[in-house]
């Protein structure tokens, strides 16, 4: 989760008229890695046939307005390979990314399905992937994007499509989800208790919180608990050095080289420090969020079993690499290499011009724009760095200065 900087209207003004290269969003944005959630439990096997997309074509665009009714196509996938008559329905709720049918072939829910002879189904979340209720992502269109609408989608899908089409009238139903979709799983049971017999909510944030102080604090706990306990102290030293160097033109040039920045630091731009400190903290967030989980990020060599917080802390405490700031750069450069990136993007204005794109074909339509919209209108869940023992520099805070 990155900070409030992506929100403040006064800052948005600064982005006007700036046109820069397209295709960049931060590697992790408010707890959401680019591309979405945790990747599927495994890769597709050669020749393997995945569940085919199916469409519920009578989903309402607005469940809470009695006036004119618009319908849209909501995508879903089923796997009935484990099902035996009378078995339960396991409904996996899609989250803030395109729904991936591999989740119906492997993972914990599938293991349970084998035991309980369950009918497995995955429902894509409105505004993500191919489930688009509108033809663009303008602010007007996004007014139909909310968790409340998504929960009503699930209810309509169960009653008007799933139970009827697959003759599952009386079967018990359990919802599943992880992260935000885990929240939906829990909220669905709470709001529609008559429709669900049980809910599994993994790693699910349940309460809205503008500033989630525990997010970065937890990362610091994990850093302190590695086999390199000086990691937190060294990280403090590194970010303090960045502060010391900020006022020195030759040092700014040095940081540009050291951190392989895509653009030079603009000393007079007051948002610049927050943007850079935040981009460097993103490395730690990305690795911490999937620490030790056996996954590779699609299309990259970042393997979360190989590159862990312990790996990063090993670098931070390795004196042979030079001063702490150099080690902090080494951490960042390692992640750049793993992700196949040539340089580190950090410019706030660049981010804003990306995020303003409204077309469904734009780079941010993969989910970044939708997720920021949901964060701003509903959830918060920002992670300010200005408290406690957070060593990433106190410059990306809720009152973004
Ligand atoms: C990790 O994932 C790889 C690739 O999917 C798999 O071959 C391997 O068995 C997994 N290892 C563990 C310990 O689960
Ligand atoms: C629907 O399910 C019920 C209960 O499992 C079964 O008795 C019935 O034969 C099924 N109907 C069809 C058309 O498959
Ligand atoms: C610290 O490490 C120990 C041993 O690996 C582990 O059991 C414990 O859960 C860890 N605590 C935190 C906060 O990560
Ligand atoms: C990640 O790397 C570990 C250690 O090299 C390997 O065992 C594992 O299979 C890899 N995981 C994936 C998903 O490729």
């Amino acid at each position: 989760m990155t900070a409030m900087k992506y929100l403040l209207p006064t800052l948005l003004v600064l982005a006007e008229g700036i046109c820069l290269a397209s295709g960049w969003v931060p590697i992790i944005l408010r707890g959401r890695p680019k591309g979405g959630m945790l990747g599927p439990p495994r890769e597709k096997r050669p020749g393997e046939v995945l569940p085919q997309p199916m469409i519920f074509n009578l989903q309402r665009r607005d469940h809470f307005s009695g006036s004119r009714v618009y319908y849209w196509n909501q995508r879903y996938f089923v796997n009935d390979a484990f099902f035996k008559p009378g078995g339960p329905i396991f409904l996996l709720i899609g989250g803030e990314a395109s729904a991936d049918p591999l989740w119906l072939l492997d993972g914990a829910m599938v293991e349970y399905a084998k035991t309980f002879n369950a009918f497995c189904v995955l429902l894509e979340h409105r505004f993500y992937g191919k489930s688009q209720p509108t033809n663009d992502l303008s602010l007007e269109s996004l007014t139909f994007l909310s968790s409340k609408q998504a929960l009503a989608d699930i209810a309509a899908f169960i009653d008007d499509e799933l139970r009827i089409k697959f003759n599952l009238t009386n079967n018990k139903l359990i919802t599943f989800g992880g992260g935000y979709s885990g929240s939906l799983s829990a909220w669905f049971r709470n709001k529609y208790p008559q429709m669900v017999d049980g809910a599994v909510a993994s790693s699910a944030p349940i309460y809205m919180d503008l500033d989630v102080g525990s997010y970065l604090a937890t990362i610091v706990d994990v850093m302190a608990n590695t086999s390199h306990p000086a990691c937190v102290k060294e990280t403090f030293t590194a970010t303090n050095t960045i502060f010391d160097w900020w006022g020195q033109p030759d040092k700014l040039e040095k940081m540009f080289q050291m951190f392989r920045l895509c653009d030079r630091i603009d000393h007079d731009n007051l948002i610049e420090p927050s943007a850079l400190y935040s981009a460097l903290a993103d490395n730690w967030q990305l690795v911490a969020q999937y620490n030790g989980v056996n996954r590779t990020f699609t299309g990259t060599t970042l393997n979360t079993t190989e590159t862990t917080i312990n790996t990063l802390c090993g670098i931070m405490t390795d004196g042979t690499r030079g001063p702490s700031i150099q080690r902090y750069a080494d951490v960042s450069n390692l992640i750049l290499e793993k992700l196949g990136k040539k340089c580190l993007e950090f410019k706030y204005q660049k981010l804003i011009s990306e995020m303003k794109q409204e077309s469904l074909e734009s780079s941010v339509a993969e989910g970044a724009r939708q997720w920021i919209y949901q964060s701003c209108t509903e959830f918060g869940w920002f992670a300010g760095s200005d408290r406690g023992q957070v060593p990433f520099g106190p410059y990306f805070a809720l009152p973004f200065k």
Side-chain angles (χ1 to χ4, degrees), residues 85-277:
I89 302 163
F90 284 1
L91 171 56
L92 181 55
I93 298 171
E96 67 275 26
S98 189
D100 190 329
L102 271 169
W103 284 106
L104 294 182
L105 299 179
D106 221 316
M109 188 185 86
V110 169
E111 292 308 311
Y112 307 147
K114 289 176 187 164
T115 304
F116 293 100
N117 303 316
F119 185 99
C120 294
V121 51
L122 166 60
L123 178 66
E124 193 164 64
H125 192 294
R126 60 165 58 204
F127 284 98
Y128 294 95
K130 297 265 188 292
S131 294
Q132 299 296 340
T134 56
N135 53 22
D136 67 15
L137 298 176
S138 64
L139 280 181
E140 196 187 356
S141 296
L142 290 176
T143 56
F144 299 107
L145 171 58
S146 71
S147 59
K148 207 173 143 195
Q149 296 279 9
L151 293 173
D153 287 342
I154 298 167
F157 171 71
I158 292 171
D159 273 356
D160 302 341
E161 176 85 352
L162 182 61
R163 288 197 185 276
I164 296 169
K165 184 164 182 168
F166 301 97
N167 186 28
L168 299 165
T169 322
N170 296 312
N171 303 62
K172 292 210 182 297
L173 186 142
I174 313 290
T175 57
F176 288 79
Y180 165 53
S181 86
S183 311
L184 291 171
S185 180
W187 294 334
F188 188 75
R189 180 155 166 73
N190 193 263
K191 192 162 177 191
Y192 300 88
Q194 76 283 11
M195 297 192 71
V196 55
D197 298 282
V200 177
S202 301
S203 307
I206 294 297
Y207 301 108
M208 311 296 145
D209 198 348
L210 196 51
D211 192 0
V212 190
S214 55
Y215 184 89
L216 292 177
T218 305
I219 296 177
V220 178
D221 285 349
V222 176
M223 292 165 79
N225 199 28
T226 60
S227 49
H228 313 282
C231 185
V232 179
K233 187 173 81 62
E234 294 296 343
T235 306
F236 264 116
T237 308
T239 54
N240 284 336
T241 306
I242 295 174
F243 183 85
D244 290 342
W245 284 14
W246 204 268
Q248 307 171 47
D250 59 320
K251 292 289 172 51
L252 287 185
E253 183 60 26
K254 196 165 174 187
M255 282 202 281
F256 169 72
Q257 310 277 351
M258 202 180 229
F259 287 99
R260 301 187 194 162
L261 304 180
C262 297
D263 301 284
R264 288 201 151 68
I265 296 169
D266 174 3
H267 175 262
D268 299 327
N269 183 339
L270 296 181
I271 300 168
E272 208 88 328
S274 307
L276 181 61
Y277 282 104

Side-chain angles (χ1 to χ4, degrees), residues 280-335:
L280 293 170
D282 284 352
N283 296 318
W284 295 82
Q285 297 187 21
L286 185 72
V287 171
Q289 199 159 300
Y290 304 103
N291 199 27
V293 176
N294 185 21
R295 295 296 153 87
T296 48
F297 279 77
T298 313
T300 75
T301 59
L302 181 62
N303 170 330
T304 50
T305 313
E306 280 169 356
T307 307
T308 61
I309 290 291
N310 199 54
T311 314
L312 306 193
C313 281
I315 295 171
M316 276 319 294
T317 53
D318 176 1
T320 67
R321 291 170 175 270
S324 319
I325 188 171
Q326 179 62 58
R327 301 175 217 162
Y328 202 50
D330 289 350
V331 164
S332 185
N333 295 336
L334 173 70
I335 303 297

